[in-house]
Amino acid sequence: MDRRHFAKTVLAFACGLAAVPASAAETVTLMAYTGLFQDRYTQAVLAPFEKANPDIKVVFAPQPSSGAMIGQLRAQKAAPQVDVVIMDVSVAKAGADEGLFVKLEAKDLPVIDELYPNARIPEIAGVAVTFDNLVLIYNAEAWPTPPKGLADMATPAAKGKVVIPGIPDIQGMSMVAILDKKNGGPGVEGKFAKGIEAMEAIAPNVQTWEPKPEVYAPVIAGQATIGVGWNARAQVNTDTSGGKMKAVIPAEGTAFQINTINLVQGAPQSAAARKFIAYALSAEAQKTFTETMFYAPTNAKAQIAPAAIDRTAVKSLDKVVPIDWLAVAKVRDQVAEAWRRKVIPLSR
């Protein structure tokens, strides 16, 4: 066993993964989100890909966040052990700037020409593989009259019952951007000052800024009654909770979060990795994953079942607040500092 193969095997065991079958000719290592995403993506995308390509095994290396992923990639830069990464677009931009990824182009991957224009972002090396949107989640028993918007989190009914993944989590940043727009703020140019100001009214009701393991569990259990989450996971949790938790697009608006798929520079299995990326972006895979987990597709040719489309933001595009996440990345530290000084202390 050479050094690279040994390192890769160690990574697989460290991530709790099964050993690579001796019969697999090539093994692609995919780093992406742990938990529900891993379960559903394996079912909807990895399994059919492996069935169609019996000579390629895809090993899932789970990580809790995009920040954790880029930390792994930086540590492995001299000897990459991962082939493909799915991560948030703003973190992917940092990876592209640091030369961690290979630029994906349509001349090498023709499927890229099938993607919506906003799935191809010049400043990043990869392309968008999923679109998701922020939703208001609530416990249906505690809120027999459903809340309508983020402002409901500032009412007496929500006192001590609000859970929000706070900044630096992108959900907290999305809330600030939406509220900034709602209150007439200029956005990035004003470093979302109006959004920070609006959060000061909600902060005293917040139970935790770090819901664990995810924001959905405490709302389903009734430990909290209202919060924000991502639509895809919220829709799945609505089903699995038997309707105890429900989700709605906030009256103030919603925001898209873009997950990108990226080829690692120096990937051990570059050719097989490209084949997997092409499949992950295909109309077939995008249709299956959207109908399994309610992410909006990035492939314009994907024919999604109407019942699944109705549970995405595709028919509510007029409520989407446009956010330039690459521009946000440039002021992220200043917004985070304002959050720590002005918002967090009000919840103590």
Side-chain angles (χ1 to χ4, degrees):
M1 181 180 294
D2 59 29
R3 182 182 302 175
R4 175 167 290 183
H5 190 184
F6 174 77
K8 192 166 187 173
T9 302
V10 170
L11 174 67
F13 277 110
C15 295
L17 303 170
V20 177
S23 58
E26 294 178 283
T27 299
V28 172
T29 300
L30 167 67
M31 184 183 287
Y33 304 105
T34 189
L36 189 60
F37 185 95
Q38 179 181 358
D39 296 341
R40 297 297 175 106
Y41 203 73
T42 298
Q43 169 193 337
V45 181
L46 269 59
F49 173 77
E50 290 180 337
K51 185 176 181 180
N53 299 272
D55 57 333
I56 302 176
K57 172 75 175 176
V58 182
V59 173
F60 200 111
Q63 289 291 334
S65 67
S66 296
M69 293 180 208
I70 200 165
Q72 289 274 345
L73 295 175
R74 286 166 175 159
Q76 299 170 10
K77 188 172 183 179
Q81 298 158 32
V82 174
D83 300 284
V84 181
V85 179
I86 293 177
M87 61 166 41
D88 173 72
V89 65
S90 61
V91 181
K93 169 66 164 55
D97 291 345
E98 295 174 30
L100 297 175
F101 302 127
V102 176
K103 180 68 175 175
L104 299 181
E105 300 183 85
K107 64 182 178 62
D108 303 314
L109 286 170
V111 70
I112 290 176
D113 282 335
E114 298 179 9
L115 305 184
Y116 288 109
N118 57 353
R120 290 167 280 176
I121 306 162
E123 295 181 60
I124 69 166
V127 295
V129 68
T130 67
F131 294 133
D132 205 357
N133 64 282
L134 196 81
V135 290
L136 185 69
I137 62 173
Y138 63 97
N139 183 294
E141 294 178 355
W143 292 83
T145 300
K148 295 181 179 179
L150 303 176
D152 284 280
M153 291 191 279
T155 63
K159 186 173 179 57
K161 295 293 185 180
V162 178
V163 284
I164 296 172
I167 292 175
D169 191 286
I170 190 175
Q171 293 173 79
M173 186 67 80
S174 297
M175 271 193 72
V176 170
I178 292 168
L179 290 171
D180 187 80
K181 178 72 173 179
K182 175 67 177 177
N183 288 283
V188 171
E189 291 76 11
K191 298 181 180 60
F192 300 109
K194 290 287 186 180
I196 292 289
E197 185 178 318
M199 282 300 307
E200 293 174 17
I202 295 173
N205 282 352
V206 172
Q207 180 184 114
T208 178
W209 302 104
E210 296 183 18
K212 296 186 181 304
E214 290 184 313
V215 68
Y216 316 98
V219 174
I220 292 170
Q223 297 165 334
T225 64
I226 191 168
V228 295
W230 293 119
N231 179 69
R233 294 181 184 227
Q235 294 296 334
V236 173
N237 277 288
T238 294
D239 292 344
T240 56
S241 70
K244 288 183 179 179
M245 192 208 80
K246 294 186 177 180
V248 64
I249 292 178
E252 295 87 347
T254 184
F256 269 140
Q257 183 252 358
I258 301 173
N259 276 317
T260 61
I261 190 165
N262 306 274
L263 176 63
V264 176
Q265 191 70 256
Q269 300 293 342
S270 179
R274 285 179 181 274
K275 198 168 186 177
F276 172 72
I277 291 172
Y279 179 77
L281 296 171
S282 70
E284 175 189 354
Q286 293 273 304
K287 169 181 169 61
T288 304
F289 193 51
T290 295
E291 293 175 356
T292 300
M293 204 168 172
F294 310 109
Y295 282 95
T298 62
N299 188 313
K301 293 186 176 181
Q303 299 296 311
I304 312 298
I309 283 292
D310 288 346
R311 297 178 69 180
T312 71
V314 169
K315 293 184 177 178
S316 303
L317 296 180
D318 58 321
K319 296 182 178 178
V320 176
V321 174
I323 299 176
D324 181 346
W325 287 111
L326 300 186
V328 171
K330 296 175 183 175
V331 299
R332 184 184 298 275
D333 289 346
Q334 293 105 310
V335 178
E337 176 60 22
W339 177 275
R340 285 192 293 270
R341 287 191 296 105
K342 299 181 177 180
V343 178
I344 296 295
L346 295 175
S347 62
R348 293 173 179 166

